[in-house]
mmCIF file of all heavy atoms in Angstrom:
data_model
loop_
_atom_site.group_PDB
_atom_site.id
_atom_site.type_symbol
_atom_site.label_atom_id
_atom_site.label_comp_id
_atom_site.label_asym_id
_atom_site.label_seq_id
_atom_site.Cartn_x
_atom_site.Cartn_y
_atom_site.Cartn_z
ATOM 1 N N MET G 1 96.666 100.854 104.665
ATOM 2 C CA MET G 1 97.397 100.233 105.771
ATOM 3 C C MET G 1 96.886 98.840 106.126
ATOM 4 O O MET G 1 97.501 98.126 106.915
ATOM 5 C CB MET G 1 97.365 101.126 107.013
ATOM 6 C CG MET G 1 95.993 101.268 107.637
ATOM 7 S SD MET G 1 96.048 102.266 109.159
ATOM 8 C CE MET G 1 96.582 103.845 108.500
ATOM 9 N N ASN G 2 95.756 98.442 105.557
ATOM 10 C CA ASN G 2 95.234 97.096 105.791
ATOM 11 C C ASN G 2 94.210 96.758 104.717
ATOM 12 O O ASN G 2 93.869 97.599 103.868
ATOM 13 C CB ASN G 2 94.620 96.980 107.193
ATOM 14 C CG ASN G 2 93.568 98.043 107.455
ATOM 15 O OD1 ASN G 2 92.616 98.186 106.681
ATOM 16 N ND2 ASN G 2 93.714 98.791 108.544
ATOM 17 N N GLY G 3 93.679 95.531 104.768
ATOM 18 C CA GLY G 3 92.754 95.086 103.739
ATOM 19 C C GLY G 3 91.450 95.853 103.718
ATOM 20 O O GLY G 3 90.914 96.171 102.646
ATOM 21 N N LEU G 4 90.913 96.166 104.900
ATOM 22 C CA LEU G 4 89.657 96.910 104.965
ATOM 23 C C LEU G 4 89.804 98.286 104.324
ATOM 24 O O LEU G 4 88.926 98.738 103.573
ATOM 25 C CB LEU G 4 89.193 97.045 106.414
ATOM 26 C CG LEU G 4 88.627 95.789 107.076
ATOM 27 C CD1 LEU G 4 88.285 96.063 108.530
ATOM 28 C CD2 LEU G 4 87.395 95.304 106.320
ATOM 29 N N GLU G 5 90.910 98.960 104.630
ATOM 30 C CA GLU G 5 91.132 100.278 104.041
ATOM 31 C C GLU G 5 91.328 100.156 102.532
ATOM 32 O O GLU G 5 90.880 101.016 101.775
ATOM 33 C CB GLU G 5 92.348 100.953 104.672
ATOM 34 C CG GLU G 5 92.548 102.381 104.160
ATOM 35 C CD GLU G 5 93.735 103.084 104.792
ATOM 36 O OE1 GLU G 5 94.604 102.407 105.359
ATOM 37 O OE2 GLU G 5 93.771 104.324 104.707
ATOM 38 N N ALA G 6 91.967 99.097 102.093
ATOM 39 C CA ALA G 6 92.186 98.898 100.657
ATOM 40 C C ALA G 6 90.855 98.759 99.919
ATOM 41 O O ALA G 6 90.675 99.322 98.833
ATOM 42 C CB ALA G 6 93.047 97.663 100.420
ATOM 43 N N LEU G 7 89.912 98.026 100.508
ATOM 44 C CA LEU G 7 88.601 97.870 99.880
ATOM 45 C C LEU G 7 87.854 99.199 99.850
ATOM 46 O O LEU G 7 87.175 99.522 98.867
ATOM 47 C CB LEU G 7 87.787 96.818 100.636
ATOM 48 C CG LEU G 7 88.307 95.380 100.528
ATOM 49 C CD1 LEU G 7 87.476 94.453 101.400
ATOM 50 C CD2 LEU G 7 88.290 94.909 99.080
ATOM 51 N N ARG G 8 87.996 99.965 100.925
ATOM 52 C CA ARG G 8 87.345 101.281 100.949
ATOM 53 C C ARG G 8 87.943 102.200 99.895
ATOM 54 O O ARG G 8 87.215 102.892 99.168
ATOM 55 C CB ARG G 8 87.489 101.915 102.341
ATOM 56 C CG ARG G 8 86.882 103.319 102.444
ATOM 57 C CD ARG G 8 87.103 103.906 103.825
ATOM 58 N NE ARG G 8 88.504 104.030 104.164
ATOM 59 C CZ ARG G 8 89.291 104.998 103.703
ATOM 60 N NH1 ARG G 8 88.825 105.913 102.854
ATOM 61 N NH2 ARG G 8 90.558 105.051 104.082
ATOM 62 N N VAL G 9 89.260 102.209 99.793
ATOM 63 C CA VAL G 9 89.932 103.055 98.808
ATOM 64 C C VAL G 9 89.549 102.634 97.391
ATOM 65 O O VAL G 9 89.298 103.476 96.523
ATOM 66 C CB VAL G 9 91.464 102.973 98.995
ATOM 67 C CG1 VAL G 9 92.180 103.601 97.810
ATOM 68 C CG2 VAL G 9 91.882 103.653 100.284
ATOM 69 N N SER G 10 89.485 101.337 97.174
ATOM 70 C CA SER G 10 89.101 100.847 95.849
ATOM 71 C C SER G 10 87.696 101.286 95.481
ATOM 72 O O SER G 10 87.423 101.648 94.327
ATOM 73 C CB SER G 10 89.200 99.318 95.816
ATOM 74 O OG SER G 10 88.744 98.819 94.581
ATOM 75 N N GLU G 11 86.794 101.271 96.457
ATOM 76 C CA GLU G 11 85.415 101.698 96.196
ATOM 77 C C GLU G 11 85.367 103.194 95.892
ATOM 78 O O GLU G 11 84.649 103.632 94.983
ATOM 79 C CB GLU G 11 84.543 101.386 97.417
ATOM 80 C CG GLU G 11 83.086 101.794 97.271
ATOM 81 C CD GLU G 11 82.380 101.057 96.154
ATOM 82 O OE1 GLU G 11 82.779 99.913 95.833
ATOM 83 O OE2 GLU G 11 81.416 101.622 95.587
ATOM 84 N N GLU G 12 86.148 103.978 96.637
ATOM 85 C CA GLU G 12 86.188 105.420 96.399
ATOM 86 C C GLU G 12 86.777 105.740 95.029
ATOM 87 O O GLU G 12 86.443 106.757 94.429
ATOM 88 C CB GLU G 12 87.009 106.106 97.493
ATOM 89 C CG GLU G 12 86.363 106.059 98.874
ATOM 90 C CD GLU G 12 87.258 106.640 99.950
ATOM 91 O OE1 GLU G 12 88.436 106.952 99.632
ATOM 92 O OE2 GLU G 12 86.799 106.789 101.091
ATOM 93 N N CYS G 13 87.678 104.876 94.558
ATOM 94 C CA CYS G 13 88.322 105.076 93.255
ATOM 95 C C CYS G 13 87.727 104.139 92.200
ATOM 96 O O CYS G 13 88.428 103.699 91.283
ATOM 97 C CB CYS G 13 89.827 104.842 93.371
ATOM 98 S SG CYS G 13 90.678 105.871 94.571
ATOM 99 N N ARG G 14 86.460 103.818 92.331
ATOM 100 C CA ARG G 14 85.821 102.841 91.447
ATOM 101 C C ARG G 14 85.989 103.207 89.972
ATOM 102 O O ARG G 14 86.131 102.336 89.112
ATOM 103 C CB ARG G 14 84.336 102.732 91.790
ATOM 104 C CG ARG G 14 83.563 101.754 90.910
ATOM 105 C CD ARG G 14 82.110 101.681 91.319
ATOM 106 N NE ARG G 14 81.942 100.895 92.509
ATOM 107 C CZ ARG G 14 81.720 99.580 92.509
ATOM 108 N NH1 ARG G 14 81.677 98.917 91.355
ATOM 109 N NH2 ARG G 14 81.550 98.914 93.627
ATOM 110 N N ASP G 15 85.951 104.507 89.672
ATOM 111 C CA ASP G 15 86.065 104.948 88.280
ATOM 112 C C ASP G 15 87.512 105.075 87.814
ATOM 113 O O ASP G 15 87.771 105.378 86.649
ATOM 114 C CB ASP G 15 85.355 106.294 88.091
ATOM 115 C CG ASP G 15 83.854 106.198 88.345
ATOM 116 O OD1 ASP G 15 83.291 105.106 88.126
ATOM 117 O OD2 ASP G 15 83.260 107.199 88.776
ATOM 118 N N GLN G 16 88.453 104.852 88.722
ATOM 119 C CA GLN G 16 89.873 104.955 88.383
ATOM 120 C C GLN G 16 90.442 103.561 88.153
ATOM 121 O O GLN G 16 90.187 102.633 88.927
ATOM 122 C CB GLN G 16 90.660 105.638 89.503
ATOM 123 C CG GLN G 16 92.149 105.776 89.226
ATOM 124 C CD GLN G 16 92.879 106.474 90.364
ATOM 125 O OE1 GLN G 16 92.265 106.945 91.321
ATOM 126 N NE2 GLN G 16 94.198 106.544 90.268
ATOM 127 N N HIS G 17 91.219 103.402 87.086
ATOM 128 C CA HIS G 17 91.814 102.101 86.798
ATOM 129 C C HIS G 17 93.003 101.869 87.721
ATOM 130 O O HIS G 17 93.875 102.715 87.871
ATOM 131 C CB HIS G 17 92.279 102.037 85.342
ATOM 132 C CG HIS G 17 92.856 100.700 84.968
ATOM 133 N ND1 HIS G 17 92.095 99.558 84.892
ATOM 134 C CD2 HIS G 17 94.139 100.333 84.676
ATOM 135 C CE1 HIS G 17 92.862 98.546 84.551
ATOM 136 N NE2 HIS G 17 94.104 98.986 84.417
ATOM 137 N N ILE G 18 93.027 100.712 88.378
ATOM 138 C CA ILE G 18 94.159 100.296 89.204
ATOM 139 C C ILE G 18 94.826 99.127 88.490
ATOM 140 O O ILE G 18 94.193 98.105 88.221
ATOM 141 C CB ILE G 18 93.711 99.888 90.617
ATOM 142 C CG1 ILE G 18 93.099 101.097 91.340
ATOM 143 C CG2 ILE G 18 94.887 99.328 91.416
ATOM 144 C CD1 ILE G 18 92.568 100.778 92.727
ATOM 145 N N ASP G 19 96.096 99.272 88.169
ATOM 146 C CA ASP G 19 96.784 98.310 87.312
ATOM 147 C C ASP G 19 97.250 97.066 88.046
ATOM 148 O O ASP G 19 97.320 95.987 87.462
ATOM 149 C CB ASP G 19 97.977 98.978 86.629
ATOM 150 C CG ASP G 19 97.532 100.089 85.688
ATOM 151 O OD1 ASP G 19 97.177 99.783 84.535
ATOM 152 O OD2 ASP G 19 97.528 101.255 86.115
ATOM 153 N N ILE G 20 97.601 97.221 89.339
ATOM 154 C CA ILE G 20 98.121 96.073 90.079
ATOM 155 C C ILE G 20 97.912 96.271 91.573
ATOM 156 O O ILE G 20 97.985 97.404 92.073
ATOM 157 C CB ILE G 20 99.619 95.834 89.771
ATOM 158 C CG1 ILE G 20 100.114 94.543 90.436
ATOM 159 C CG2 ILE G 20 100.461 97.025 90.182
ATOM 160 C CD1 ILE G 20 101.521 94.135 89.995
ATOM 161 N N LEU G 21 97.649 95.178 92.262
ATOM 162 C CA LEU G 21 97.560 95.164 93.723
ATOM 163 C C LEU G 21 98.852 94.587 94.276
ATOM 164 O O LEU G 21 99.275 93.496 93.872
ATOM 165 C CB LEU G 21 96.370 94.312 94.173
ATOM 166 C CG LEU G 21 96.306 93.944 95.661
ATOM 167 C CD1 LEU G 21 96.052 95.188 96.509
ATOM 168 C CD2 LEU G 21 95.231 92.889 95.909
ATOM 169 N N VAL G 22 99.485 95.311 95.195
ATOM 170 C CA VAL G 22 100.660 94.806 95.903
ATOM 171 C C VAL G 22 100.275 94.717 97.370
ATOM 172 O O VAL G 22 99.994 95.737 97.998
ATOM 173 C CB VAL G 22 101.879 95.733 95.728
ATOM 174 C CG1 VAL G 22 103.068 95.208 96.537
ATOM 175 C CG2 VAL G 22 102.259 95.862 94.262
ATOM 176 N N THR G 23 100.225 93.515 97.909
ATOM 177 C CA THR G 23 99.715 93.364 99.272
ATOM 178 C C THR G 23 100.513 92.379 100.104
ATOM 179 O O THR G 23 100.988 91.354 99.603
ATOM 180 C CB THR G 23 98.237 92.911 99.244
ATOM 181 O OG1 THR G 23 97.760 92.748 100.582
ATOM 182 C CG2 THR G 23 98.069 91.602 98.493
ATOM 183 N N ASP G 24 100.673 92.721 101.368
ATOM 184 C CA ASP G 24 101.253 91.787 102.328
ATOM 185 C C ASP G 24 100.278 90.620 102.484
ATOM 186 O O ASP G 24 99.060 90.782 102.346
ATOM 187 C CB ASP G 24 101.462 92.498 103.665
ATOM 188 C CG ASP G 24 102.285 91.680 104.634
ATOM 189 O OD1 ASP G 24 102.910 90.695 104.204
ATOM 190 O OD2 ASP G 24 102.306 92.017 105.829
ATOM 191 N N VAL G 25 100.801 89.439 102.756
ATOM 192 C CA VAL G 25 99.943 88.264 102.894
ATOM 193 C C VAL G 25 99.216 88.265 104.229
ATOM 194 O O VAL G 25 97.996 88.084 104.305
ATOM 195 C CB VAL G 25 100.764 86.973 102.749
ATOM 196 C CG1 VAL G 25 99.910 85.753 103.055
ATOM 197 C CG2 VAL G 25 101.351 86.868 101.350
ATOM 198 N N THR G 26 99.965 88.488 105.310
ATOM 199 C CA THR G 26 99.400 88.398 106.656
ATOM 200 C C THR G 26 99.139 89.786 107.213
ATOM 201 O O THR G 26 100.071 90.554 107.474
ATOM 202 C CB THR G 26 100.358 87.645 107.593
ATOM 203 O OG1 THR G 26 100.677 86.373 107.016
ATOM 204 C CG2 THR G 26 99.735 87.440 108.951
ATOM 205 N N MET G 27 97.854 90.115 107.398
ATOM 206 C CA MET G 27 97.448 91.400 107.950
ATOM 207 C C MET G 27 96.248 91.184 108.860
ATOM 208 O O MET G 27 95.511 90.197 108.715
ATOM 209 C CB MET G 27 97.067 92.380 106.827
ATOM 210 C CG MET G 27 98.211 92.751 105.894
ATOM 211 S SD MET G 27 97.707 93.959 104.639
ATOM 212 C CE MET G 27 96.551 92.955 103.670
ATOM 213 N N PRO G 28 96.032 92.101 109.820
ATOM 214 C CA PRO G 28 94.870 91.962 110.698
ATOM 215 C C PRO G 28 93.563 92.063 109.908
ATOM 216 O O PRO G 28 93.476 92.767 108.901
ATOM 217 C CB PRO G 28 95.017 93.156 111.655
ATOM 218 C CG PRO G 28 96.454 93.567 111.558
ATOM 219 C CD PRO G 28 96.880 93.251 110.156
ATOM 220 N N LYS G 29 92.546 91.328 110.359
ATOM 221 C CA LYS G 29 91.166 91.400 109.850
ATOM 222 C C LYS G 29 91.024 90.772 108.464
ATOM 223 O O LYS G 29 90.299 89.813 108.281
ATOM 224 C CB LYS G 29 90.650 92.839 109.862
ATOM 225 C CG LYS G 29 90.600 93.442 111.259
ATOM 226 C CD LYS G 29 90.068 94.865 111.242
ATOM 227 C CE LYS G 29 90.042 95.438 112.652
ATOM 228 N NZ LYS G 29 89.560 96.838 112.663
ATOM 229 N N ILE G 30 91.700 91.341 107.465
ATOM 230 C CA ILE G 30 91.624 90.787 106.114
ATOM 231 C C ILE G 30 93.044 90.580 105.592
ATOM 232 O O ILE G 30 93.807 91.528 105.453
ATOM 233 C CB ILE G 30 90.850 91.723 105.160
ATOM 234 C CG1 ILE G 30 89.391 91.846 105.599
ATOM 235 C CG2 ILE G 30 90.901 91.187 103.734
ATOM 236 C CD1 ILE G 30 88.561 92.731 104.691
#
């Protein structure tokens, strides 16, 4: 739901390949 959560999810899935990031430009915090 936001950039901070995305970084946390990415860290939790460190061993999983993520093919593409789709992100809104303007979000709170990050």
Side-chain angles (χ1 to χ4, degrees):
M1 67 177 64
N2 54 54
L4 286 177
E5 184 179 18
L7 292 176
R8 178 182 60 78
V9 168
S10 176
E11 180 63 28
E12 292 175 353
C13 302
R14 179 179 283 270
D15 296 331
Q16 180 179 355
H17 182 68
I18 297 177
D19 296 276
I20 186 171
L21 167 68
V22 177
T23 179
D24 190 14
V25 173
T26 306
M27 296 182 293
K29 298 181 180 179
I30 295 181

